[in-house]
């Protein structure tokens, strides 16, 4: 069984303690001393678990965690933190953490928690870009391009495009869009979806030979290179 762990921790003593313990326990461990390096390593290589300090410099732990989850990386993450209040633990779990361990801690507990996380599921392939045809969304930078040209999208348009890309080549209904993009659990009976789809279509299709965003009459919309 693979037991490869990334430790993102800026405190040298804590990092040495954790890395030494992991290696003695048979884990293969790599280290990043700040958030940006941790994000780079996590998205450029495959790990079975990540130990992530909450307060690392450069890019704080929760920001790293949100970027990992936005990129589709489902590697189990154990958050380390000196912040033990309930609301801090809730923030960590809601940001995508799988477990939360407060400092100071014993290595035996950290090791047991990692073993438990690894049993739940192995690391998944990293998806950092969503594409259809020559349209691309970089999930880490949130940059959208088509044919190499950068497209300027508003936040709601970006969220709409991401949902369509994640369901590319499939029909998405108005109900699906209302629930997942607008977080509505009812139909407001307005043209909000049609308006945003129209604006998005203009930005991603206008000036290009092949349209990608199609209306499926009576059903919804489909993002595809096929008409």
């Amino acid at each position: 069984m693979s037991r490869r762990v990334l430790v993102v921790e800026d405190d040298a003593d804590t990092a040495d303690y954790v890395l030494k313990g992991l290696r003695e326990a048979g884990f293969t461990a790599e280290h990043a001393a700040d958030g940006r390096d941790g994000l780079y390593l996590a998205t450029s290589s495959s790990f079975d678990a990540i130990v992530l300090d909450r307060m690392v410099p450069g890019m704080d732990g929760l920001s790293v965690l949100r970027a990992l989850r936005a990129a589709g990386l489902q590697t189990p993450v154990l958050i380390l933190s000196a912040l033990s209040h309930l609301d801090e633990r809730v923030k960590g779990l809601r940001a995508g953490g799988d477990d939360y361990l407060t400092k100071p801690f014993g290595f035996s507990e950290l090791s047991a928690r990692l073993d438990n996380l690894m049993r739940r599921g192995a690391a998944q392939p990293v998806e950092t870009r969503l594409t259809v045809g020559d349209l691309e969304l970089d999930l880490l930078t949130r940059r959208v391009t088509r044919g190499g040209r950068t497209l300027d999208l508003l936040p709601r348009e970006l969220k709409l495009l991401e949902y369509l890309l994640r369901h590319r080549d499939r029909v998405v209904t108005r109900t699906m869009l209302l629930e997942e993009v607008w977080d509505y659990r009812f139909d407001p009976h307005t043209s909000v979806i049609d308006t945003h789809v129209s604006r998005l279509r203009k930005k991603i299709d206008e000036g290009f030979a092949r349209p990608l965003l199609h209306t499926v009459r009576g059903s919804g919309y489909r993002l595809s290179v096929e008409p």
Side-chain angles (χ1 to χ4, degrees):
M1 175 183 175
S2 173
R3 287 155 63 87
R4 191 160 182 256
V5 179
L6 172 63
V7 178
V8 185
E9 169 64 67
D10 65 308
D11 182 77
D13 290 338
T14 301
D16 288 345
Y17 170 68
V18 172
L19 291 167
K20 182 175 182 291
L22 288 172
R23 288 162 183 162
E24 288 176 348
F27 292 87
T28 299
E30 292 193 31
H31 176 233
D34 65 62
R36 293 189 185 281
D37 285 347
L39 179 60
Y40 172 77
L41 286 173
T43 55
S44 60
S45 190
S46 179
F47 294 93
D48 299 287
I50 298 171
V51 177
L52 177 63
D53 183 60
R54 170 73 171 77
M55 302 297 288
V56 284
M59 187 178 188
D60 73 89
L62 295 191
S63 296
V64 172
L65 186 50
R66 292 188 186 100
L68 292 174
R69 297 313 188 216
L73 188 72
Q74 298 304 314
T75 305
V77 174
L78 171 61
I79 301 171
L80 296 182
S81 179
L83 304 173
S84 59
H85 297 300
L86 176 61
D87 59 339
E88 291 297 335
R89 298 200 301 272
V90 170
K91 285 179 184 177
L93 296 173
R94 284 183 171 169
D98 297 277
D99 202 353
Y100 197 102
L101 183 60
T102 57
K103 299 177 179 179
F105 57 87
F107 179 77
S108 59
E109 183 178 5
L110 182 143
S111 178
R113 286 174 181 258
L114 284 177
D115 283 336
N116 185 52
L117 290 178
M118 290 182 188
R119 282 195 295 270
R120 294 182 192 173
Q124 300 298 313
V126 181
E127 186 175 33
T128 60
R129 288 179 173 82
L130 299 174
T131 63
V132 60
D134 58 353
L135 177 67
E136 178 181 288
L137 166 60
D138 187 312
L139 292 169
L140 296 179
T141 64
R142 313 303 289 171
R143 180 170 176 259
V144 179
T145 60
R146 181 165 184 192
R149 182 199 306 173
T150 298
L151 306 180
D152 185 19
L153 302 187
L154 297 175
R156 185 72 69 179
E157 294 166 347
L158 188 61
K159 189 173 182 180
L160 174 59
L161 177 62
E162 180 178 348
Y163 187 80
L164 290 167
L165 280 166
R166 291 190 183 279
H167 296 79
R168 54 192 176 272
D169 298 319
R170 288 177 280 172
V171 175
V172 296
T173 67
R174 287 179 54 87
T175 299
M176 293 165 67
L177 293 175
L178 283 169
E179 291 184 353
E180 300 301 328
V181 179
W182 276 267
D183 199 28
Y184 289 164
R185 295 297 180 268
F186 62 94
D187 189 342
H189 300 292
T190 69
S191 60
V192 61
I193 291 179
D194 297 332
T195 299
H196 279 80
V197 168
S198 177
R199 290 174 179 169
L200 179 62
R201 177 183 283 121
K202 183 175 181 180
K203 290 184 178 182
I204 68 173
D205 282 344
E206 193 171 82
F208 296 94
R210 175 182 293 177
L212 296 176
L213 183 49
H214 310 281
T215 299
V216 182
R217 293 188 181 279
S219 298
Y221 306 95
R222 182 165 55 90
L223 193 66
S224 174
V225 294
E226 299 297 329

